[in-house]
Amino acid sequence: MMSPPRPSLDAIFAALSDPTRRAILTMLLEDDMAVTDVAEPFAMSLAAISKHLGILAEAGLISQEKRGRVKWCKLEPLSMQEAITWIQGFGQFEPLDFDAFERFLETELSADSRAQKETPDAMPGSGSPR
């Protein structure tokens, strides 16, 4: 049997771009939840929540299963692996030390201002008034 295609990074990041969907994923970290329970803390219609859940499901971040009359949502953390791997690729760079960068800028700017004070306003014979 052929496995379903993996969601693209674009679909995963698009799903994660919405704060409501990120909040839903956080809720599902604790346990599977019925759609009505997922909707409870949000000030939006059940249809709007269902749309968010559909986007999360299309991205592979959650799965949905009907148990009797209730639709349940389950977090699928392995589906984020490709996105995690992509993000971790940027971890090879050293974190920027903003304090050191600020000290460097102050040193450079003070050296520039000292150089400007030492340079006369106009060179003799340049035709510029003094």
Side-chain angles (χ1 to χ4, degrees), residues 16-122:
L16 294 173
S17 71
D18 185 87
T20 300
R21 293 192 285 270
R22 290 192 306 270
I24 291 169
L25 291 174
T26 301
M27 291 167 53
L28 292 173
L29 273 171
E30 294 181 30
D31 201 3
D32 298 0
M33 296 178 77
V35 171
T36 53
D37 294 333
V38 170
E40 189 178 310
F42 299 100
M44 60 180 71
S45 69
L46 190 57
I49 288 295
S50 291
K51 186 170 183 173
H52 283 295
L53 292 172
I55 291 168
L56 290 169
E58 286 175 23
L61 298 173
I62 67 167
S63 58
Q64 294 181 308
E65 174 188 5
K66 194 132 184 169
R67 299 180 198 159
R69 292 184 170 183
V70 179
K71 195 174 211 180
W72 287 81
C73 302
K74 177 184 178 184
L75 184 66
E76 297 294 341
L78 292 179
S79 65
M80 284 194 221
Q81 192 57 51
E82 188 176 353
I84 290 167
T85 301
W86 186 83
I87 291 169
Q88 285 176 337
F90 292 96
Q92 66 185 340
F93 302 106
E94 291 294 320
L96 185 58
D97 182 350
F98 287 107
D99 292 332
F101 185 61
E102 185 177 15
R103 287 189 300 273
F104 168 77
L105 286 177
E106 286 172 356
T107 303
E108 289 298 308
L109 292 174
S110 65
D112 282 349
S113 66
R114 280 194 308 270
Q116 286 177 352
K117 288 179 184 174
E118 294 170 2
T119 305
D121 289 343

